[in-house]
């Protein structure tokens, strides 16, 4: 899960996790599907992707990262120094 650096794209992801994903999961799973709304609370607490990358770079020697889906997915690989 990533939080895009660009504000307009971030708004789209907020809307998706707050409204669309819970609605779809409720339709598919009933009351159990409502728990998907917890992802929105996690999303709100996430730092922007660039801030998260800088934080990881403080603690790891080598860091590689990729963004997918306009920044909605952040893949980070990090290696500790020996």
């Amino acid at each position: 899960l990533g939080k895009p650096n660009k504000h307009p794209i971030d708004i789209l992801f907020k809307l998706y996790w707050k409204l669309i994903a819970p609605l779809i999961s409720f339709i598919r799973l009933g009351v159990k599907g409502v728990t998907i709304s917890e992802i929105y609370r996690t999303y709100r607490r996430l730092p922007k992707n660039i801030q998260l990358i800088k934080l990881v770079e403080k603690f790891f020697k080598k860091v590689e990262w990729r963004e997918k889906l306009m920044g909605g997915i952040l893949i980070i690989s990090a290696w500790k120094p020996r």
Side-chain angles (χ1 to χ4, degrees), residues 38-53:
E38 294 297 317
I39 293 176
Y40 175 69
R41 290 170 52 182
T42 301
Y43 183 82
R44 273 194 351 223
R45 294 180 189 145
L46 278 176
K48 299 276 186 186
N49 288 347
I50 196 71
Q51 295 168 331
L52 184 58
I53 292 164

Side-chain angles (χ1 to χ4, degrees), residues 61-73:
K61 182 178 181 181
K62 182 180 177 187
V63 177
E64 294 176 3
W65 56 275
R66 289 189 311 244
E67 289 182 331
K68 302 280 187 174
L69 198 63
M70 297 181 293
I73 298 172

Side-chain angles (χ1 to χ4, degrees), residues 1-77:
L1 187 59
K3 193 172 196 178
N5 299 318
K6 296 179 181 176
H7 189 66
I9 297 171
D10 183 35
I11 290 172
L12 290 174
F13 279 95
K14 282 180 186 175
L15 286 173
Y16 178 80
W17 288 118
K18 186 171 185 169
L19 302 173
I20 298 169
L23 179 63
I24 292 171
S25 62
F26 178 74
I27 291 169
R28 291 282 293 161
L29 302 171
V31 177
K32 281 197 250 179
V34 176
T35 58
I36 196 80
S37 63
E38 294 297 317
I39 293 176
Y40 175 69
R41 290 170 52 182
T42 301
Y43 183 82
R44 273 194 351 223
R45 294 180 189 145
L46 278 176
K48 299 276 186 186
N49 288 347
I50 196 71
Q51 295 168 331
L52 184 58
I53 292 164
K54 287 180 181 178
L55 181 65
V56 171
E57 286 174 341
K58 286 183 183 179
F59 297 99
F60 293 91
K61 182 178 181 181
K62 182 180 177 187
V63 177
E64 294 176 3
W65 56 275
R66 289 189 311 244
E67 289 182 331
K68 302 280 187 174
L69 198 63
M70 297 181 293
I73 298 172
L74 180 65
I75 302 166
I76 299 177
S77 300

